Coordinates of all heavy atoms in Angstrom, one line a residue:
L113 N 22.1 -3.5 -13.2 CA 22.5 -2.2 -13.7 C 21.6 -1.9 -14.9 O 21.5 -2.7 -15.9 CB 24.0 -2.3 -14.2 CG 24.5 -1.0 -14.8 CD1 24.7 0.1 -13.7 CD2 25.9 -1.3 -15.4
V118 N 23.6 3.4 -17.4 CA 24.8 3.4 -18.2 C 24.7 4.6 -19.2 O 25.7 5.3 -19.4 CB 24.9 2.1 -19.0 CG1 26.0 2.2 -20.0 CG2 25.1 0.9 -18.1
F121 N 25.6 7.8 -17.5 CA 27.1 7.8 -17.4 C 27.7 8.2 -18.7 O 28.6 9.1 -18.7 CB 27.6 6.5 -16.9 CG 29.1 6.5 -16.7 CD1 29.6 6.9 -15.5 CD2 29.9 6.0 -17.7 CE1 31.0 6.9 -15.3 CE2 31.3 6.0 -17.5 CZ 31.8 6.5 -16.3
L122 N 27.2 7.6 -19.8 CA 27.7 8.0 -21.1 C 27.6 9.5 -21.4 O 28.5 10.1 -21.9 CB 26.9 7.2 -22.2 CG 27.4 5.8 -22.5 CD1 26.3 5.2 -23.4 CD2 28.7 5.8 -23.2
C137 N 27.1 6.9 -32.7 CA 27.0 5.5 -32.4 C 25.5 5.1 -32.3 O 24.7 5.8 -31.6 CB 27.7 5.2 -31.0 SG 27.4 3.6 -30.4
L139 N 23.3 2.5 -30.6 CA 23.5 1.6 -29.4 C 22.2 0.9 -29.1 O 21.1 1.6 -28.9 CB 23.9 2.5 -28.2 CG 24.1 1.8 -26.9 CD1 25.2 0.7 -27.0 CD2 24.5 2.8 -25.8
L141 N 20.5 -1.4 -26.3 CA 20.6 -1.9 -25.0 C 19.2 -2.4 -24.6 O 18.2 -1.7 -24.6 CB 21.0 -0.8 -24.0 CG 22.5 -0.4 -24.0 CD1 22.7 0.8 -23.0 CD2 23.4 -1.5 -23.7
I167 N 29.4 3.7 -35.9 CA 29.5 2.4 -35.2 C 28.2 2.0 -34.8 O 27.3 2.8 -34.5 CB 30.5 2.4 -34.1 CG1 30.2 3.6 -33.1 CG2 31.9 2.6 -34.5 CD1 31.1 3.6 -31.9
S168 N 28.0 0.7 -34.7 CA 26.7 0.1 -34.2 C 27.0 -0.9 -33.1 O 27.8 -1.9 -33.4 CB 25.9 -0.5 -35.3 OG 24.7 -1.0 -34.8
L169 N 26.5 -0.8 -31.9 CA 26.7 -1.7 -30.8 C 25.4 -2.4 -30.4 O 24.4 -1.7 -30.3 CB 27.4 -1.1 -29.7 CG 28.7 -0.2 -29.9 CD1 29.1 0.4 -28.6 CD2 29.8 -1.1 -30.5
R170 N 25.5 -3.6 -30.0 CA 24.3 -4.3 -29.3 C 24.9 -5.1 -28.2 O 25.7 -6.0 -28.4 CB 23.5 -5.2 -30.3 CG 22.3 -5.8 -29.6 CD 21.5 -6.6 -30.5 NE 22.1 -7.8 -30.9 CZ 22.5 -8.1 -32.2 NH1 22.4 -7.2 -33.1 NH2 23.1 -9.3 -32.5
T171 N 24.5 -4.8 -27.0 CA 25.0 -5.5 -25.8 C 24.1 -5.3 -24.7 O 23.0 -4.8 -24.8 CB 26.5 -5.0 -25.5 OG1 27.0 -5.8 -24.5 CG2 26.5 -3.5 -25.0
D172 N 24.5 -5.7 -23.5 CA 23.7 -5.4 -22.3 C 24.3 -4.4 -21.4 O 25.5 -4.1 -21.6 CB 23.5 -6.7 -21.5 CG 24.9 -7.3 -21.0 OD1 25.3 -6.9 -19.9 OD2 25.5 -8.1 -21.7
P173 N 23.6 -3.8 -20.5 CA 24.2 -2.7 -19.7 C 25.4 -3.0 -18.9 O 26.4 -2.2 -18.9 CB 23.0 -2.3 -18.8 CG 21.8 -2.6 -19.5 CD 22.1 -3.9 -20.3
K174 N 25.5 -4.2 -18.3 CA 26.6 -4.5 -17.5 C 27.9 -4.7 -18.3 O 29.0 -4.4 -17.9 CB 26.3 -5.8 -16.6 CG 25.2 -5.6 -15.6 CD 25.2 -6.6 -14.6 CE 26.3 -6.5 -13.5 NZ 26.1 -7.4 -12.3
T175 N 27.7 -5.3 -19.5 CA 28.9 -5.5 -20.4 C 29.4 -4.1 -20.8 O 30.6 -3.9 -20.8 CB 28.5 -6.3 -21.6 OG1 28.1 -7.6 -21.2 CG2 29.7 -6.4 -22.6
L176 N 28.5 -3.2 -21.2 CA 28.9 -1.9 -21.6 C 29.6 -1.1 -20.4 O 30.6 -0.5 -20.6 CB 27.7 -1.1 -22.2 CG 28.1 0.3 -22.7 CD1 29.2 0.3 -23.7 CD2 26.8 1.0 -23.2
G177 N 29.0 -1.3 -19.3 CA 29.6 -0.6 -18.1 C 31.0 -1.1 -17.8 O 31.9 -0.4 -17.5
G178 N 31.2 -2.4 -18.0 CA 32.5 -3.0 -17.8 C 33.5 -2.5 -18.9 O 34.7 -2.2 -18.5
L179 N 33.1 -2.3 -20.1 CA 33.9 -1.7 -21.1 C 34.3 -0.3 -20.8 O 35.5 0.1 -21.1 CB 33.3 -1.8 -22.5 CG 33.3 -3.2 -23.2 CD1 32.4 -3.2 -24.4 CD2 34.8 -3.5 -23.6
L180 N 33.4 0.5 -20.3 CA 33.7 1.9 -20.0 C 34.7 2.0 -18.9 O 35.5 2.9 -18.8 CB 32.4 2.6 -19.7 CG 31.3 2.8 -20.8 CD1 30.1 3.4 -20.3 CD2 31.9 3.6 -21.9
A181 N 34.6 1.0 -17.9 CA 35.5 1.0 -16.8 C 36.9 0.5 -17.2 O 37.9 0.9 -16.7 CB 35.0 0.1 -15.7
D182 N 36.9 -0.4 -18.2 CA 38.2 -1.0 -18.7 C 38.2 -1.2 -20.2 O 37.9 -2.3 -20.7 CB 38.3 -2.4 -18.0 CG 39.6 -3.1 -18.4 OD1 40.5 -2.4 -18.9 OD2 39.7 -4.3 -18.1
P183 N 38.4 -0.1 -21.0 CA 38.4 -0.2 -22.4 C 39.4 -1.3 -23.0 O 39.2 -1.8 -24.1 CB 38.9 1.2 -22.9 CG 38.5 2.1 -21.7 CD 38.7 1.2 -20.5
A184 N 40.4 -1.7 -22.2 CA 41.4 -2.7 -22.7 C 40.7 -4.0 -22.8 O 41.3 -4.9 -23.4 CB 42.6 -2.7 -21.7
S185 N 39.5 -4.2 -22.2 CA 38.9 -5.5 -22.3 C 38.0 -5.7 -23.6 O 37.3 -6.6 -23.8 CB 37.9 -5.7 -21.1 OG 36.9 -4.8 -21.1
L186 N 38.1 -4.7 -24.5 CA 37.3 -4.7 -25.7 C 37.5 -6.0 -26.5 O 36.6 -6.6 -26.9 CB 37.6 -3.5 -26.6 CG 36.9 -3.4 -27.9 CD1 35.4 -3.4 -27.8 CD2 37.4 -2.2 -28.7
D187 N 38.8 -6.3 -26.8 CA 39.0 -7.5 -27.6 C 38.5 -8.8 -27.0 O 37.9 -9.6 -27.7 CB 40.6 -7.7 -27.9 CG 41.1 -6.6 -28.7 OD1 40.4 -5.9 -29.4 OD2 42.4 -6.4 -28.7
T188 N 38.6 -8.9 -25.7 CA 38.1 -10.1 -25.0 C 36.6 -10.1 -25.1 O 35.9 -11.1 -25.3 CB 38.5 -10.1 -23.6 OG1 40.0 -10.1 -23.5 CG2 38.0 -11.3 -22.8
T189 N 35.9 -8.9 -24.9 CA 34.5 -8.8 -25.0 C 34.0 -9.2 -26.3 O 33.0 -10.0 -26.4 CB 34.0 -7.4 -24.6 OG1 34.5 -7.1 -23.3 CG2 32.5 -7.3 -24.7
L190 N 34.6 -8.8 -27.4 CA 34.2 -9.1 -28.7 C 34.4 -10.6 -29.0 O 33.6 -11.2 -29.6 CB 35.0 -8.2 -29.8 CG 34.6 -6.8 -29.8 CD1 35.6 -6.0 -30.7 CD2 33.2 -6.6 -30.3
A191 N 35.5 -11.1 -28.6 CA 35.8 -12.5 -28.8 C 34.9 -13.4 -28.1 O 34.5 -14.5 -28.6 CB 37.3 -12.8 -28.3
Q192 N 34.4 -13.0 -26.9 CA 33.4 -13.8 -26.2 C 32.0 -13.7 -26.7 O 31.1 -14.4 -26.2 CB 33.5 -13.4 -24.7 CG 34.8 -13.8 -24.0 CD 34.8 -13.2 -22.6 OE1 34.1 -12.3 -22.2 NE2 35.7 -13.8 -21.8
G193 N 31.8 -12.8 -27.6 CA 30.4 -12.6 -28.2 C 29.5 -11.9 -27.3 O 28.3 -11.9 -27.5
A194 N 30.0 -11.2 -26.3 CA 29.2 -10.4 -25.3 C 28.7 -9.1 -25.9 O 27.8 -8.5 -25.3 CB 30.0 -10.1 -24.0
M195 N 29.2 -8.7 -27.1 CA 28.8 -7.5 -27.7 C 28.9 -7.7 -29.2 O 29.8 -8.3 -29.7 CB 29.7 -6.3 -27.3 CG 29.3 -5.0 -28.0 SD 30.3 -3.6 -27.4 CE 31.9 -4.0 -28.2
S196 N 27.9 -7.3 -29.9 CA 27.9 -7.3 -31.4 C 28.3 -5.9 -31.9 O 27.8 -4.9 -31.4 CB 26.4 -7.6 -31.9 OG 26.4 -7.4 -33.3
F197 N 29.2 -5.9 -32.8 CA 29.8 -4.6 -33.2 C 29.9 -4.5 -34.8 O 30.4 -5.5 -35.4 CB 31.2 -4.3 -32.6 CG 32.0 -3.3 -33.3 CD1 31.6 -1.9 -33.1 CD2 33.1 -3.6 -34.0 CE1 32.3 -0.9 -33.8 CE2 33.8 -2.6 -34.7 CZ 33.4 -1.3 -34.5
L201 N 36.3 0.5 -36.0 CA 36.8 0.0 -34.7 C 37.6 1.1 -34.0 O 37.5 1.2 -32.8 CB 37.8 -1.2 -35.0 CG 38.4 -1.8 -33.7 CD1 37.3 -2.3 -32.8 CD2 39.3 -3.0 -34.1
L204 N 35.2 3.3 -32.2 CA 34.7 2.6 -31.0 C 35.8 2.8 -29.9 O 35.4 3.1 -28.7 CB 34.4 1.2 -31.3 CG 34.1 0.3 -30.0 CD1 32.9 0.9 -29.3 CD2 33.8 -1.1 -30.4
K205 N 37.0 2.6 -30.2 CA 38.1 2.7 -29.2 C 38.2 4.1 -28.7 O 38.3 4.4 -27.5 CB 39.4 2.2 -29.7 CG 39.5 0.7 -30.0 CD 40.8 0.3 -30.6 CE 40.9 -1.2 -30.7 NZ 42.2 -1.6 -31.3
R206 N 38.0 5.1 -29.6 CA 38.0 6.5 -29.1 C 36.8 6.8 -28.2 O 37.0 7.5 -27.2 CB 38.0 7.4 -30.3 CG 39.3 7.5 -31.1 CD 39.3 8.7 -32.0 NE 38.4 8.6 -33.2 CZ 37.4 9.4 -33.4 NH1 37.1 10.4 -32.6 NH2 36.7 9.2 -34.5
L207 N 35.7 6.2 -28.5 CA 34.5 6.4 -27.7 C 34.7 5.9 -26.3 O 34.4 6.6 -25.3 CB 33.3 5.8 -28.3 CG 32.0 5.8 -27.5 CD1 31.5 7.3 -27.4 CD2 30.9 5.0 -28.2
L208 N 35.2 4.7 -26.2 CA 35.4 4.1 -24.9 C 36.5 4.8 -24.1 O 36.4 4.9 -22.9 CB 35.8 2.6 -25.1 CG 34.8 1.7 -25.7 CD1 35.4 0.3 -25.9 CD2 33.5 1.6 -24.8
Q209 N 37.5 5.3 -24.7 CA 38.6 6.0 -24.1 C 38.2 7.4 -23.5 O 39.0 8.0 -22.8 CB 39.8 6.1 -25.0 CG 40.5 4.8 -25.2 CD 41.5 4.7 -26.3 OE1 41.6 5.8 -27.0 NE2 42.1 3.6 -26.6
L210 N 37.0 7.9 -23.9 CA 36.5 9.1 -23.4 C 36.3 9.1 -21.9 O 36.1 10.1 -21.2 CB 35.2 9.6 -24.1 CG 35.3 9.9 -25.6 CD1 33.9 10.2 -26.1 CD2 36.3 11.0 -25.9
Y211 N 36.2 7.8 -21.3 CA 35.7 7.7 -20.0 C 36.9 7.2 -19.1 O 36.7 6.8 -17.9 CB 34.6 6.7 -19.9 CG 33.4 7.1 -20.7 CD1 33.3 6.8 -22.1 CD2 32.5 8.0 -20.1 CE1 32.3 7.3 -22.8 CE2 31.4 8.5 -20.9 CZ 31.3 8.2 -22.3 OH 30.3 8.6 -23.0
T212 N 38.1 7.3 -19.6 CA 39.3 6.9 -18.8 C 40.1 8.1 -18.4 O 40.1 9.1 -19.1 CB 40.2 5.9 -19.6 OG1 40.6 6.6 -20.7 CG2 39.4 4.7 -20.0
P213 N 40.7 8.1 -17.2 CA 41.5 9.2 -16.7 C 42.5 9.7 -17.7 O 42.9 10.9 -17.8 CB 42.1 8.8 -15.4 CG 41.1 7.7 -14.9 CD 40.6 7.0 -16.2

Side-chain angles (χ1 to χ4, degrees):
L113 181 67
V118 176
F121 183 83
L122 276 170
C137 173
L139 177 60
L141 288 176
I167 53 180
S168 179
L169 307 178
R170 184 176 71 248
T171 188
D172 61 88
K174 294 194 80 169
T175 297
L176 181 56
L179 279 171
L180 295 175
D182 181 17
S185 65
L186 175 60
D187 290 343
T188 301
T189 301
L190 291 172
Q192 292 175 342
M195 180 178 70
S196 172
F197 164 71
L201 182 60
L204 173 58
K205 290 180 177 179
R206 285 195 292 117
L207 176 65
L208 295 177
Q209 290 166 358
L210 296 179
Y211 301 88
T212 60

